[in-house]
Amino acid sequence: MVLVVSAPALAGEDVAAQDLPPADPPGTWWRITQDADSTDSKCIGQLTSPLCAVESWLACYTRSDKSLCALAELDYVDRQNSFKSALYKITRYHVVASWVLGENDIPRWYRHACTMAWRPGDVVIDTDELECWRDQHRRERCPTGAAAPSDRFRHVVRRGDDGLWRFVGREGPSGWHWLYNGTCYE
């Protein structure tokens, strides 16, 4: 059983409990496809919550959509050159946990010259993700049960001065990538 945990944020960093997505039950998988009709998220491109910011990033990557990437202030698609296979790509994800970072949650070794590193008040969303595809007949080839093979990712998002949530960084099997404003890559 995974619980949503909320650490106290600093004054001025008002993150309400309803902003945090709950952990999904085992075996629950959400999907992002090439179009809104077959995608489970209804807030892609609307950076109004931490999960909407993560889903917008996943849609940017899954759809190879430069406008979504620009909205999320990312240049990730250009760096990955992923447009060739976007037509058949699907991303399945499962929320494992979410919490608000407090001062004591930030490892000392992350406090370095990179000005976009974690800050108290940032929101962390851990997901299990599975990249899968449609075949030439548009049938999905995605294992989705509780034992589906997936990778664990940690997303860090931050509320901007405009009240919208922006993507800060993502950790996966290959390590951390700081992507906020396309200015800080580690």
Side-chain angles (χ1 to χ4, degrees), residues 5-84:
V5 178
S6 178
L10 292 180
E13 295 291 341
D14 184 27
V15 179
Q18 67 264 18
D19 287 335
L20 297 175
D24 290 318
T28 301
W29 289 89
W30 305 102
R31 70 186 197 159
I32 294 181
T33 66
Q34 299 305 308
D35 58 77
D37 292 338
S38 60
T39 293
D40 292 322
S41 173
K42 301 304 176 205
C43 67
I44 290 172
Q46 303 173 26
L47 311 173
T48 54
S49 73
L51 185 59
C52 290
V54 170
E55 290 174 336
S56 296
W57 187 90
L58 290 171
C60 151
Y61 179 73
T62 300
R63 298 174 183 175
S64 296
D65 184 328
K66 288 184 180 184
S67 65
L68 283 174
C69 296
L71 181 64
E73 299 181 9
L74 304 174
D75 63 359
Y76 192 76
V77 167
D78 286 337
R79 293 188 307 112
Q80 294 297 318
N81 191 21
S82 59
F83 285 93
K84 295 176 187 173

Side-chain angles (χ1 to χ4, degrees), residues 17-161:
Q18 67 264 18
D19 287 335
L20 297 175
D24 290 318
T28 301
W29 289 89
W30 305 102
R31 70 186 197 159
I32 294 181
T33 66
Q34 299 305 308
D35 58 77
D37 292 338
S38 60
T39 293
D40 292 322
S41 173
K42 301 304 176 205
C43 67
I44 290 172
Q46 303 173 26
L47 311 173
T48 54
S49 73
L51 185 59
C52 290
V54 170
E55 290 174 336
S56 296
W57 187 90
L58 290 171
C60 151
Y61 179 73
T62 300
R63 298 174 183 175
S64 296
D65 184 328
K66 288 184 180 184
S67 65
L68 283 174
C69 296
L71 181 64
E73 299 181 9
L74 304 174
D75 63 359
Y76 192 76
V77 167
D78 286 337
R79 293 188 307 112
Q80 294 297 318
N81 191 21
S82 59
F83 285 93
K84 295 176 187 173
S85 59
L87 180 62
Y88 297 106
K89 187 174 182 181
I90 299 165
T91 298
R92 294 270 186 177
Y93 63 98
H94 169 96
V95 175
V96 176
S98 64
W99 67 93
V100 178
L101 287 175
E103 185 66 38
N104 295 328
D105 297 322
I106 302 170
R108 220 175 257 297
W109 52 274
Y110 274 169
R111 299 165 197 231
H112 51 72
C114 179
T115 60
M116 296 303 164
W118 294 358
R119 295 183 197 163
D122 288 351
V123 169
V124 176
I125 299 175
D126 283 350
T127 59
D128 285 339
E129 296 176 21
L130 172 64
E131 197 173 275
C132 47
W133 308 88
R134 291 183 176 168
D135 65 18
Q136 67 271 21
H137 303 292
R138 314 254 321 143
R139 290 181 300 231
E140 290 185 24
R141 303 293 184 199
C142 301
T144 57
S150 60
D151 289 318
R152 177 73 42 96
F153 288 89
R154 174 160 288 170
H155 307 269
V156 181
V157 295
R158 176 176 302 149
R159 191 188 320 245
D161 293 338

